[in-house]
Amino acid sequence: MSAEVVKAAISVLRTEGAVIGQQGKGVFVRDQAGARAQGQSQGTPPPADADMTTKQLTEVLAAVRDLGERVARIERAVFPEPPPADRRGK
């Protein structure tokens, strides 16, 4: 196995939070129970990031709704509804 493959594998494990590198000592496997208790298990963002993401999504949703309302007003102004057809002759 080449050193490049090992480095790539360690990089993936580090990104996933499975290992911790210590300068001059090596790379060590994390205690997965401790990582879960801290909310750092794979796929779980830290609470601050989750709050920020929720806030940003709420702002985007409000902006999209506002734009939808503005487009609807413009369409009503540009394309007024035709008057109802006279049905007395039928």
Coordinates of all heavy atoms in Angstrom, one line a residue:
M1 N 0.9 -1.2 0.0 CA 0.0 0.0 0.0 C 0.9 1.2 0.0 O 1.8 1.3 0.8 CB -0.9 0.0 1.2 CG -1.9 1.1 1.3 SD -3.0 1.0 2.7 CE -3.9 -0.5 2.4
S2 N 0.6 2.2 -0.8 CA 1.4 3.4 -0.9 C 1.1 4.4 0.1 O 0.0 4.4 0.7 CB 1.3 4.0 -2.3 OG 0.0 4.7 -2.4
A3 N 2.0 5.3 0.4 CA 1.8 6.3 1.4 C 0.7 7.3 1.0 O 0.0 7.8 1.9 CB 3.1 7.1 1.6
E4 N 0.6 7.5 -0.3 CA -0.5 8.4 -0.8 C -1.9 7.8 -0.5 O -2.8 8.6 -0.1 CB -0.3 8.6 -2.3 CG 0.9 9.4 -2.6 CD 1.2 9.5 -4.1 OE1 0.2 9.4 -4.9 OE2 2.3 9.8 -4.5
V5 N -2.0 6.5 -0.6 CA -3.3 5.9 -0.3 C -3.6 6.0 1.2 O -4.8 6.3 1.6 CB -3.3 4.4 -0.8 CG1 -4.6 3.7 -0.3 CG2 -3.2 4.3 -2.3
V6 N -2.6 5.8 2.0 CA -2.8 5.9 3.5 C -3.2 7.3 3.8 O -4.1 7.5 4.6 CB -1.5 5.4 4.2 CG1 -1.7 5.7 5.7 CG2 -1.3 3.9 3.9
K7 N -2.5 8.3 3.3 CA -2.8 9.7 3.6 C -4.2 10.0 3.1 O -4.9 10.8 3.9 CB -1.8 10.6 2.9 CG -0.4 10.6 3.5 CD 0.5 11.5 2.7 CE 1.9 11.4 3.3 NZ 2.9 12.3 2.5
A8 N -4.6 9.5 2.0 CA -6.0 9.8 1.5 C -7.0 9.2 2.4 O -8.0 9.8 2.8 CB -6.2 9.3 0.1
A9 N -6.8 8.0 2.9 CA -7.7 7.3 3.8 C -7.8 8.0 5.1 O -8.9 8.2 5.7 CB -7.3 5.8 4.0
I10 N -6.6 8.5 5.6 CA -6.6 9.2 6.9 C -7.4 10.5 6.7 O -8.1 11.0 7.6 CB -5.2 9.4 7.4 CG1 -4.6 8.1 7.9 CG2 -5.1 10.4 8.5 CD1 -3.1 8.1 8.2
S11 N -7.2 11.2 5.6 CA -7.9 12.4 5.3 C -9.4 12.2 5.4 O -10.2 13.0 6.0 CB -7.5 13.0 4.0 OG -8.2 14.2 3.7
V12 N -9.9 11.1 4.7 CA -11.3 10.8 4.8 C -11.8 10.6 6.2 O -12.8 11.1 6.6 CB -11.6 9.6 3.8 CG1 -13.1 9.2 4.0 CG2 -11.4 10.0 2.4
L13 N -11.1 9.8 6.9 CA -11.4 9.5 8.3 C -11.4 10.7 9.2 O -12.3 10.9 10.0 CB -10.5 8.4 8.9 CG -10.6 7.0 8.3 CD1 -9.5 6.1 8.8 CD2 -12.0 6.4 8.6
R14 N -10.5 11.6 8.9 CA -10.4 12.9 9.7 C -11.6 13.7 9.4 O -12.3 14.3 10.3 CB -9.1 13.6 9.4 CG -8.9 14.9 10.2 CD -7.6 15.5 9.9 NE -6.5 14.7 10.6 CZ -5.4 14.4 10.0 NH1 -5.1 14.9 8.8 NH2 -4.5 13.8 10.6
T15 N -12.0 13.8 8.1 CA -13.2 14.6 7.7 C -14.5 14.0 8.3 O -15.4 14.8 8.7 CB -13.3 14.6 6.1 OG1 -12.2 15.1 5.6 CG2 -14.5 15.4 5.7
E16 N -14.5 12.7 8.4 CA -15.7 12.1 9.1 C -15.7 12.2 10.6 O -16.7 11.8 11.2 CB -15.8 10.6 8.6 CG -16.1 10.5 7.2 CD -16.1 9.0 6.7 OE1 -15.7 8.1 7.5 OE2 -16.5 8.7 5.6
G17 N -14.6 12.6 11.1 CA -14.5 12.8 12.6 C -14.1 11.5 13.3 O -14.3 11.4 14.5
A18 N -13.7 10.5 12.5 CA -13.4 9.2 13.1 C -12.0 9.1 13.7 O -11.7 8.3 14.6 CB -13.5 8.1 12.1
V19 N -11.1 10.0 13.3 CA -9.7 10.0 13.8 C -9.3 11.4 14.2 O -9.8 12.4 13.7 CB -8.7 9.4 12.8 CG1 -9.0 8.0 12.5 CG2 -8.6 10.3 11.6
I20 N -8.3 11.5 15.1 CA -7.7 12.8 15.5 C -6.2 12.7 15.3 O -5.6 11.7 15.7 CB -8.0 13.0 17.0 CG1 -9.5 13.1 17.3 CG2 -7.3 14.3 17.5 CD1 -9.8 13.2 18.8
G21 N -5.7 13.7 14.6 CA -4.2 13.8 14.4 C -3.6 14.6 15.5 O -4.1 15.7 15.8
Q22 N -2.5 14.2 16.0 CA -1.7 14.9 17.0 C -0.3 15.2 16.5 O 0.4 14.2 16.2 CB -1.7 14.2 18.4 CG -3.1 14.2 19.0 CD -3.0 13.5 20.4 OE1 -2.0 13.0 20.8 NE2 -4.2 13.6 21.1
Q23 N 0.1 16.4 16.3 CA 1.4 16.8 15.8 C 2.5 16.1 16.5 O 2.6 16.1 17.7 CB 1.6 18.3 15.8 CG 2.8 18.8 15.2 CD 2.7 19.0 13.7 OE1 1.6 19.1 13.2 NE2 3.8 19.0 13.0
G24 N 3.3 15.4 15.8 CA 4.5 14.7 16.3 C 4.2 13.4 17.0 O 5.1 12.7 17.5
K25 N 2.9 13.0 17.1 CA 2.6 11.8 17.8 C 1.9 10.7 16.9 O 2.2 9.5 17.0 CB 1.6 12.0 19.0 CG 2.3 12.8 20.1 CD 1.4 12.9 21.3 CE 2.1 13.7 22.4 NZ 1.2 13.7 23.6
G26 N 1.0 11.2 16.0 CA 0.4 10.3 15.1 C -1.1 10.6 15.0 O -1.6 11.6 15.3
V27 N -1.8 9.6 14.4 CA -3.2 9.7 14.2 C -3.9 8.6 15.0 O -3.5 7.5 15.0 CB -3.6 9.5 12.7 CG1 -5.1 9.6 12.5 CG2 -2.9 10.6 11.9
F28 N -4.9 9.0 15.8 CA -5.6 8.1 16.7 C -7.1 8.0 16.4 O -7.7 9.0 16.0 CB -5.4 8.6 18.1 CG -3.9 8.7 18.5 CD1 -3.2 9.9 18.3 CD2 -3.2 7.6 19.0 CE1 -1.9 10.0 18.6 CE2 -1.9 7.7 19.3 CZ -1.2 8.9 19.1
V29 N -7.6 6.9 16.6 CA -9.1 6.6 16.4 C -9.8 7.3 17.6 O -9.4 7.2 18.8 CB -9.4 5.1 16.4 CG1 -10.9 4.9 16.3 CG2 -8.7 4.5 15.2
R30 N -10.8 8.1 17.3 CA -11.6 8.8 18.3 C -12.5 7.8 19.0 O -13.0 6.8 18.5 CB -12.5 9.8 17.7 CG -11.8 11.0 17.2 CD -12.7 12.0 16.7 NE -13.4 12.5 17.9 CZ -14.1 13.7 17.9 NH1 -14.2 14.4 16.8 NH2 -14.7 14.1 19.0
D31 N -12.8 8.1 20.2 CA -13.8 7.4 21.0 C -15.2 7.8 20.4 O -15.7 8.9 20.6 CB -13.7 7.8 22.5 CG -14.8 7.1 23.3 OD1 -15.5 6.1 22.9 OD2 -15.0 7.5 24.5
Q32 N -15.8 6.9 19.7 CA -17.1 7.2 19.0 C -18.2 7.5 20.0 O -19.1 8.3 19.7 CB -17.5 6.0 18.1 CG -16.6 5.8 16.9 CD -16.5 7.1 16.1 OE1 -17.5 7.6 15.7 NE2 -15.3 7.5 15.7
A33 N -18.2 6.9 21.2 CA -19.3 7.2 22.2 C -19.1 8.6 22.7 O -20.1 9.4 22.8 CB -19.2 6.2 23.4
G34 N -17.9 9.1 22.9 CA -17.6 10.5 23.3 C -18.0 11.4 22.2 O -18.5 12.5 22.5
A35 N -17.7 11.1 20.9 CA -18.1 12.0 19.8 C -19.6 12.1 19.7 O -20.1 13.2 19.5 CB -17.5 11.4 18.5
R36 N -20.3 11.0 19.9 CA -21.8 11.1 19.9 C -22.3 12.0 21.0 O -23.3 12.7 20.8 CB -22.4 9.7 19.9 CG -22.3 9.0 18.6 CD -23.1 7.7 18.6 NE -22.6 6.9 17.6 CZ -21.7 5.9 17.8 NH1 -21.3 5.6 19.0 NH2 -21.3 5.2 16.8
A37 N -21.8 11.8 22.2 CA -22.2 12.6 23.3 C -22.0 14.1 23.1 O -22.8 14.9 23.6 CB -21.5 12.1 24.6
Q38 N -21.0 14.4 22.4 CA -20.7 15.8 22.1 C -21.5 16.3 20.9 O -21.4 17.5 20.5 CB -19.2 16.0 21.8 CG -18.4 15.7 23.0 CD -16.9 15.8 22.7 OE1 -16.5 16.2 21.6 NE2 -16.0 15.5 23.6
G39 N -22.3 15.5 20.2 CA -23.1 15.9 19.1 C -22.2 16.0 17.8 O -22.6 16.7 16.9
Q40 N -21.1 15.3 17.8 CA -20.2 15.4 16.6 C -20.1 14.1 15.9 O -19.2 13.9 15.1 CB -18.8 15.8 17.1 CG -18.7 17.1 17.8 CD -17.3 17.4 18.3 OE1 -16.5 16.6 18.4 NE2 -17.1 18.7 18.7
S41 N -21.1 13.2 16.0 CA -21.1 12.0 15.2 C -21.3 12.3 13.8 O -21.8 13.4 13.4 CB -22.1 11.0 15.7 OG -23.4 11.6 15.5
Q42 N -20.9 11.4 12.9 CA -21.0 11.7 11.5 C -22.4 12.1 11.1 O -23.4 11.5 11.4 CB -20.6 10.4 10.7 CG -20.6 10.6 9.2 CD -20.2 9.3 8.5 OE1 -19.7 8.4 9.1 NE2 -20.3 9.3 7.2
G43 N -22.5 13.2 10.3 CA -23.8 13.6 9.8 C -24.6 14.6 10.7 O -25.6 15.1 10.4
T44 N -24.1 14.8 12.0 CA -24.8 15.7 12.9 C -24.0 17.0 13.0 O -22.9 17.0 13.6 CB -24.9 15.0 14.3 OG1 -25.5 13.7 14.1 CG2 -25.7 15.8 15.2
P45 N -24.6 18.1 12.5 CA -23.9 19.3 12.7 C -23.9 19.9 14.1 O -24.9 19.5 14.8 CB -24.6 20.3 11.7 CG -26.0 19.7 11.6 CD -25.8 18.2 11.8
P46 N -23.0 20.6 14.5 CA -23.1 21.2 15.8 C -24.3 22.1 15.9 O -24.8 22.7 15.0 CB -21.8 22.1 15.9 CG -20.9 21.6 14.9 CD -21.8 21.0 13.8
P47 N -24.9 22.2 17.1 CA -26.1 23.0 17.3 C -26.0 24.4 16.8 O -27.0 24.9 16.2 CB -26.3 23.0 18.8 CG -25.6 21.8 19.3 CD -24.4 21.6 18.4
A48 N -24.9 25.1 17.0 CA -24.8 26.5 16.5 C -24.9 26.5 14.9 O -25.6 27.4 14.4 CB -23.4 27.1 16.9
D49 N -24.3 25.6 14.3 CA -24.5 25.5 12.8 C -25.9 25.2 12.4 O -26.4 25.8 11.4 CB -23.5 24.5 12.2 CG -22.1 24.9 12.3 OD1 -21.8 26.1 12.5 OD2 -21.2 24.0 12.0
A50 N -26.5 24.4 13.1 CA -27.9 24.0 12.8 C -28.8 25.2 13.0 O -29.7 25.5 12.2 CB -28.4 22.9 13.7
D51 N -28.6 26.0 14.1 CA -29.4 27.2 14.3 C -29.2 28.2 13.2 O -30.1 28.9 12.7 CB -29.0 27.9 15.6 CG -29.5 27.0 16.8 OD1 -30.4 26.2 16.6 OD2 -29.0 27.3 17.9
M52 N -27.9 28.4 12.7 CA -27.6 29.3 11.7 C -28.2 28.9 10.4 O -28.8 29.7 9.6 CB -26.1 29.4 11.5 CG -25.7 30.4 10.4 SD -26.2 32.1 10.7 CE -25.1 32.6 11.9
T53 N -28.2 27.6 10.1 CA -28.8 27.1 8.9 C -30.3 27.3 8.9 O -30.8 27.7 7.9 CB -28.5 25.6 8.7 OG1 -27.0 25.4 8.7 CG2 -29.1 25.0 7.4
T54 N -30.9 27.0 10.0 CA -32.4 27.2 10.1 C -32.7 28.7 9.9 O -33.7 29.0 9.2 CB -32.9 26.8 11.5 OG1 -32.6 25.4 11.6 CG2 -34.4 27.0 11.6
K55 N -31.9 29.6 10.5 CA -32.2 31.0 10.3 C -32.0 31.5 8.8 O -32.8 32.2 8.3 CB -31.2 31.8 11.2 CG -31.4 33.3 11.1 CD -30.4 34.1 11.9 CE -30.6 35.6 11.7 NZ -29.5 36.3 12.3
Q56 N -31.0 31.0 8.2 CA -30.7 31.3 6.8 C -31.9 30.8 5.9 O -32.3 31.5 5.0 CB -29.4 30.8 6.3 CG -28.2 31.5 6.9 CD -26.9 30.9 6.6 OE1 -26.8 29.7 6.3 NE2 -25.8 31.6 6.7
L57 N -32.3 29.5 6.2 CA -33.4 29.0 5.4 C -34.7 29.8 5.6 O -35.4 30.0 4.6 CB -33.6 27.5 5.7 CG -32.6 26.6 5.2 CD1 -32.8 25.2 5.8 CD2 -32.5 26.5 3.7
T58 N -34.9 30.2 6.8 CA -36.1 31.0 7.1 C -36.1 32.3 6.3 O -37.1 32.8 5.7 CB -36.2 31.3 8.6 OG1 -36.3 30.0 9.3 CG2 -37.5 32.1 8.9
E59 N -34.9 32.9 6.3 CA -34.7 34.2 5.5 C -34.9 34.0 4.0 O -35.5 34.8 3.4 CB -33.4 34.8 5.8 CG -33.2 35.3 7.2 CD -31.8 35.8 7.6 OE1 -30.9 35.6 6.7 OE2 -31.6 36.2 8.7
V60 N -34.4 32.9 3.5 CA -34.5 32.6 2.1 C -36.0 32.4 1.8 O -36.5 32.9 0.7 CB -33.7 31.4 1.7 CG1 -34.0 30.9 0.3 CG2 -32.2 31.7 1.7
L61 N -36.7 31.6 2.6 CA -38.1 31.3 2.4 C -38.9 32.6 2.4 O -39.8 32.8 1.5 CB -38.7 30.4 3.4 CG -40.1 30.0 3.3 CD1 -40.4 29.4 2.0 CD2 -40.5 29.1 4.5
A62 N -38.6 33.5 3.3 CA -39.3 34.8 3.3 C -39.1 35.6 2.1 O -40.0 36.2 1.5 CB -38.9 35.6 4.6
A63 N -37.8 35.6 1.6 CA -37.5 36.4 0.4 C -38.2 35.8 -0.8 O -38.7 36.5 -1.7 CB -35.9 36.4 0.2
V64 N -38.2 34.5 -0.9 CA -38.9 33.8 -2.0 C -40.4 34.2 -2.0 O -41.0 34.5 -3.1 CB -38.7 32.3 -2.0 CG1 -39.6 31.6 -3.0 CG2 -37.2 32.0 -2.3
R65 N -41.0 34.1 -0.9 CA -42.4 34.5 -0.8 C -42.7 35.9 -1.2 O -43.6 36.2 -1.9 CB -43.0 34.3 0.6 CG -43.1 32.8 1.0 CD -43.7 32.6 2.4 NE -43.9 31.2 2.6 CZ -44.0 30.7 3.8 NH1 -43.8 31.4 4.9 NH2 -44.2 29.4 4.0
D66 N -41.8 36.8 -0.7 CA -41.9 38.2 -1.1 C -41.8 38.4 -2.6 O -42.6 39.1 -3.2 CB -40.8 39.0 -0.4 CG -40.9 40.5 -0.7 OD1 -42.0 41.1 -0.6 OD2 -39.9 41.1 -1.2
L67 N -40.8 37.7 -3.2 CA -40.6 37.8 -4.7 C -41.9 37.3 -5.4 O -42.3 37.8 -6.4 CB -39.4 37.1 -5.1 CG -38.1 37.7 -4.7 CD1 -36.9 36.8 -5.0 CD2 -37.9 39.1 -5.4
G68 N -42.4 36.2 -4.9 CA -43.6 35.6 -5.5 C -44.8 36.6 -5.5 O -45.5 36.8 -6.5
E69 N -45.0 37.3 -4.4 CA -46.0 38.3 -4.3 C -45.8 39.5 -5.2 O -46.7 40.0 -5.9 CB -46.1 38.8 -2.8 CG -46.7 37.8 -1.9 CD -46.5 38.2 -0.4 OE1 -46.1 39.3 -0.1 OE2 -46.9 37.4 0.4
R70 N -44.5 39.9 -5.3 CA -44.2 41.0 -6.2 C -44.4 40.6 -7.7 O -44.9 41.4 -8.5 CB -42.7 41.4 -6.0 CG -42.5 42.1 -4.7 CD -41.0 42.2 -4.3 NE -40.4 43.1 -5.3 CZ -39.1 43.3 -5.3 NH1 -38.3 42.7 -4.4 NH2 -38.5 44.1 -6.1
V71 N -44.0 39.4 -8.1 CA -44.3 38.9 -9.4 C -45.8 38.8 -9.7 O -46.2 39.2 -10.8 CB -43.6 37.5 -9.7 CG1 -44.1 36.9 -11.0 CG2 -42.1 37.7 -9.7
A72 N -46.5 38.4 -8.8 CA -48.0 38.3 -9.0 C -48.6 39.7 -9.2 O -49.5 39.9 -10.1 CB -48.6 37.6 -7.7
R73 N -48.1 40.7 -8.4 CA -48.6 42.1 -8.6 C -48.3 42.6 -10.0 O -49.1 43.2 -10.7 CB -48.1 43.0 -7.5 CG -48.7 42.9 -6.2 CD -48.4 44.0 -5.3 NE -47.0 44.2 -5.1 CZ -46.3 43.7 -4.1 NH1 -46.8 43.0 -3.2 NH2 -45.0 44.0 -4.0
I74 N -47.0 42.3 -10.4 CA -46.6 42.8 -11.8 C -47.4 42.1 -12.8 O -47.9 42.7 -13.8 CB -45.1 42.5 -12.0 CG1 -44.3 43.4 -11.1 CG2 -44.7 42.7 -13.4 CD1 -42.8 43.0 -11.0
E75 N -47.7 40.8 -12.7 CA -48.5 40.1 -13.7 C -49.9 40.6 -13.8 O -50.5 40.7 -14.8 CB -48.5 38.6 -13.4 CG -47.2 37.9 -13.7 CD -47.1 36.4 -13.3 OE1 -48.0 36.0 -12.5 OE2 -46.3 35.7 -13.9
R76 N -50.5 40.9 -12.6 CA -51.8 41.5 -12.6 C -51.9 42.9 -13.3 O -52.8 43.2 -14.0 CB -52.4 41.6 -11.2 CG -52.8 40.3 -10.6 CD -53.6 40.5 -9.3 NE -52.9 41.2 -8.3 CZ -52.1 40.5 -7.4 NH1 -52.0 39.2 -7.4 NH2 -51.5 41.2 -6.4
A77 N -50.8 43.6 -13.1 CA -50.7 45.0 -13.8 C -50.5 44.8 -15.3 O -51.1 45.6 -16.1 CB -49.6 45.8 -13.2
V78 N -49.7 43.9 -15.7 CA -49.3 43.8 -17.1 C -50.4 43.0 -17.9 O -50.7 43.3 -19.0 CB -47.9 43.1 -17.3 CG1 -47.6 42.8 -18.7 CG2 -46.9 44.0 -16.7
F79 N -50.9 41.9 -17.2 CA -51.9 41.1 -17.9 C -53.2 41.1 -17.1 O -53.5 40.2 -16.4 CB -51.4 39.6 -17.9 CG -50.0 39.5 -18.5 CD1 -48.9 39.1 -17.8 CD2 -49.8 39.7 -19.9 CE1 -47.7 39.0 -18.3 CE2 -48.6 39.5 -20.4 CZ -47.5 39.2 -19.7
P80 N -54.0 42.2 -17.2 CA -55.2 42.3 -16.5 C -56.2 41.2 -16.9 O -56.2 40.7 -18.1 CB -55.8 43.7 -16.8 CG -55.1 44.1 -18.0 CD -53.8 43.3 -18.1
E81 N -57.0 40.7 -16.0 CA -58.0 39.7 -16.3 C -59.0 40.2 -17.3 O -59.5 41.3 -17.1 CB -58.6 39.1 -15.1 CG -57.7 38.4 -14.2 CD -58.4 37.8 -13.0 OE1 -59.6 37.5 -13.1 OE2 -57.7 37.6 -12.0
P82 N -59.4 39.5 -18.3 CA -60.5 39.9 -19.2 C -61.8 40.0 -18.5 O -62.0 39.3 -17.5 CB -60.5 38.9 -20.3 CG -59.9 37.7 -19.7 CD -58.9 38.1 -18.7
P83 N -62.7 40.9 -18.9 CA -64.0 41.0 -18.3 C -64.8 39.7 -18.5 O -64.5 39.0 -19.5 CB -64.7 42.1 -19.0 CG -63.9 42.3 -20.2 CD -62.5 41.8 -20.0
P84 N -65.6 39.3 -17.6 CA -66.4 38.0 -17.7 C -67.2 38.1 -19.0 O -67.8 39.1 -19.4 CB -67.3 38.0 -16.5 CG -67.1 39.2 -15.7 CD -66.0 40.0 -16.4
A85 N -67.4 37.0 -19.7 CA -68.2 36.9 -20.9 C -69.6 37.1 -20.6 O -70.1 36.6 -19.6 CB -67.9 35.5 -21.6
D86 N -70.3 37.8 -21.5 CA -71.8 38.0 -21.4 C -72.5 36.7 -21.7 O -72.5 36.3 -22.8 CB -72.2 39.2 -22.3 CG -73.6 39.6 -22.0 OD1 -74.2 39.0 -21.1 OD2 -74.1 40.4 -22.8
R87 N -73.2 36.1 -20.8 CA -73.9 34.9 -21.0 C -75.4 35.0 -21.2 O -76.1 34.1 -21.1 CB -73.6 33.9 -19.8 CG -72.1 33.6 -19.7 CD -71.9 32.5 -18.7 NE -70.5 32.2 -18.7 CZ -70.0 31.1 -18.2 NH1 -70.8 30.2 -17.7 NH2 -68.7 30.9 -18.2
R88 N -75.9 36.2 -21.3 CA -77.3 36.4 -21.5 C -77.9 35.8 -22.8 O -79.0 35.4 -22.9 CB -77.7 37.9 -21.4 CG -77.7 38.4 -20.0 CD -78.1 39.8 -20.0 NE -76.9 40.7 -20.3 CZ -76.9 41.9 -20.7 NH1 -78.1 42.5 -20.9 NH2 -75.8 42.6 -21.0
G89 N -77.0 35.7 -23.8 CA -77.5 35.3 -25.1 C -77.6 33.8 -25.2 O -78.1 33.2 -26.2
K90 N -77.3 33.0 -24.2 CA -77.3 31.5 -24.2 C -78.5 31.0 -23.6 O -79.2 31.3 -22.8 CB -76.1 30.9 -23.6 CG -74.8 31.2 -24.4 CD -73.7 30.5 -23.8 CE -72.4 30.7 -24.7 NZ -71.3 30.0 -24.2

